[in-house]
Amino acid sequence: MKHQFGMLVAALVLGTAAHAQTKWDLPAAYPASNFHTVNLTAFANDVDKATSGKLKITVHPGASLFKAPEIKRAVQGGQAQIGEILLANYQNEWQMFGADGLPFLADSYAESMKLYKAQRPIMEKKLAEQGMMLLYAVAWPPQGLYSKKPINSAADLKGSKWRAYSPSTARIADLVGAQPVTVQAAELSQALATGVVETNMTSGATGVDSKLYEHLSYYYDVQAWLPKNAVLVNRKAFEALDKPTQDALLKAGADAEARGWEASQKVNTDTLATLKARGMNILPPSPQLKADLKAVGDTMLKEWQDKAGAEGKSLVDSLNR
């Protein structure tokens, strides 16, 4: 009898535990091996541990659950409770999302962190209006220029098939006379293999992820900008959690942010070394190329400020302080 009673209690406890467990899906656009995704997995494990399994977050890498441009809407609409987006992808929706995609506005980790601190309160307000919250954000390594052939000035980019992944990368193509082709990270290898793309600006990390060294020969370390990935949470899903679980999620997010920025800097060094080892020419930009790209950046900053209005002005002013 005692044995049966014990089993009944165990069954009730298990039933309660199963009932109390919350499961969240976290769609991400980048491969499982990418440092952002590795960080997301560590974050999900931290949450699991800190909540003793009460909140289980499943990371879906490589755009397997939602394609990159769909992730924000999925979190906003509650199809996913949490998701990772590239902020610059959403510049057309709201100019402030694209601030870290502007060439040479913030071109180092220190400047990028300064920009993030200025951007964060403005973004939090906007996301709150959309029923979401910003959990954390991590910068990609600085963006460099990849090409099949040597590029000594912007004129050498004219007519080339240029991979665009955001409004700002498409605008760079317009300004240098290249042909923009919209290709998300998950499709980049294929686009290169089929000759759809010949030039693009992205990080060393994406260069290694997408094996750009198999198709392109040159990387110019122009350090143009450091776009950020942001992890967004559906506000209703967050509010449905009990207070200790909310606290555990926020702490795991803060830890993931610190870990991610550190990892980004290491990845920048490591991936450029990998590209070089795989036969890619890693070069500094010529003075002419640097000047040409800086002119492109100045034009784009002015255009962006015209659209971003007072919010944009206060953001840029805070960077120049």
Side-chain angles (χ1 to χ4, degrees), residues 91 98-106 168 224-225 297 300-301 304-305 316:
Q91 185 181 329
D100 56 22
L102 293 166
F104 307 107
L105 177 64
S168 59
W225 67 93
M300 287 175 63
L301 178 60
W304 180 84
Q305 282 188 284
V316 173

Side-chain angles (χ1 to χ4, degrees), residues 126-160:
K126 180 70 173 178
L127 290 166
E129 288 165 13
Q130 299 180 336
M132 289 180 287
M133 50 191 281
L134 174 62
L135 186 61
Y136 74 87
V138 171
W140 283 88
Q143 307 287 287
L145 173 64
Y146 291 84
S147 175
K148 266 190 171 170
K149 57 176 193 178
I151 305 288
N152 295 310
S153 69
D156 294 334
L157 291 164
K158 206 170 166 114
S160 69

Side-chain angles (χ1 to χ4, degrees), residues 47-95:
V47 170
D48 188 16
K49 263 188 229 137
T51 64
S52 304
K54 267 177 86 176
L55 178 56
K56 290 264 186 201
I57 299 175
T58 304
V59 177
H60 300 270
S64 55
L65 189 61
F66 293 99
K67 287 185 177 166
E70 300 165 354
I71 293 174
K72 180 174 177 285
R73 194 170 58 238
V75 175
Q76 198 168 342
Q79 293 109 309
Q81 298 80 6
I82 183 169
E84 184 188 53
I85 66 163
L86 179 72
L87 287 167
N89 270 354
Y90 296 89
Q91 185 181 329
N92 283 348
E93 180 192 314
W94 185 55
Q95 288 299 311

Side-chain angles (χ1 to χ4, degrees), residues 80-291:
Q81 298 80 6
I82 183 169
E84 184 188 53
I85 66 163
L86 179 72
L87 287 167
N89 270 354
Y90 296 89
Q91 185 181 329
N92 283 348
E93 180 192 314
W94 185 55
Q95 288 299 311
M96 304 304 282
F97 286 139
D100 56 22
L102 293 166
F104 307 107
L105 177 64
D107 57 1
S108 67
Y109 281 100
E111 285 296 305
S112 182
M113 178 53 84
K114 197 175 169 186
L115 172 61
Y116 175 42
K117 284 179 175 167
Q119 249 180 321
R120 180 155 188 154
I122 315 169
M123 283 200 296
E124 283 178 332
K125 187 168 173 282
K126 180 70 173 178
L127 290 166
E129 288 165 13
Q130 299 180 336
M132 289 180 287
M133 50 191 281
L134 174 62
L135 186 61
Y136 74 87
V138 171
W140 283 88
Q143 307 287 287
L145 173 64
Y146 291 84
S147 175
K148 266 190 171 170
K149 57 176 193 178
I151 305 288
N152 295 310
S153 69
D156 294 334
L157 291 164
K158 206 170 166 114
S160 69
K161 294 171 190 166
W162 171 279
R163 177 225 173 184
Y165 63 79
S166 65
S168 59
T169 48
R171 183 65 183 134
I172 293 170
D174 292 341
L175 291 169
V176 299
Q179 296 173 29
V181 187
T182 301
V183 178
Q184 296 304 330
E187 284 93 43
L188 185 52
S189 296
Q190 195 185 348
L192 286 157
T194 53
V196 171
V197 168
E198 299 165 320
T199 51
N200 86 113
M201 280 182 98
T202 191
S203 65
T206 298
V208 171
D209 282 347
S210 302
K211 299 182 178 172
L212 298 196
Y213 48 79
E214 289 183 355
H215 310 283
L216 304 175
S217 305
Y218 296 89
Y219 176 87
Y220 294 93
D221 194 12
V222 293
Q223 301 186 17
W225 67 93
L226 291 81
K228 290 186 294 291
N229 277 6
V231 176
L232 310 182
V233 176
N234 178 285
R235 170 67 66 180
K236 280 184 183 163
F238 179 77
E239 285 170 355
L241 302 172
D242 61 33
K243 182 76 168 65
T245 306
Q246 288 180 351
D247 291 345
L249 184 76
L250 294 174
K251 181 178 185 313
D255 291 346
E257 183 168 276
R259 185 173 57 230
W261 281 77
E262 204 174 293
S264 181
Q265 295 182 62
K266 185 177 184 310
V267 160
N268 185 42
T269 307
D270 292 353
T271 51
L272 293 188
T274 300
L275 293 174
K276 193 172 184 179
R278 296 294 170 94
M280 195 168 247
N281 297 291
I282 309 291
L283 302 164
S286 69
Q288 185 62 57
L289 180 59
K290 201 162 186 175

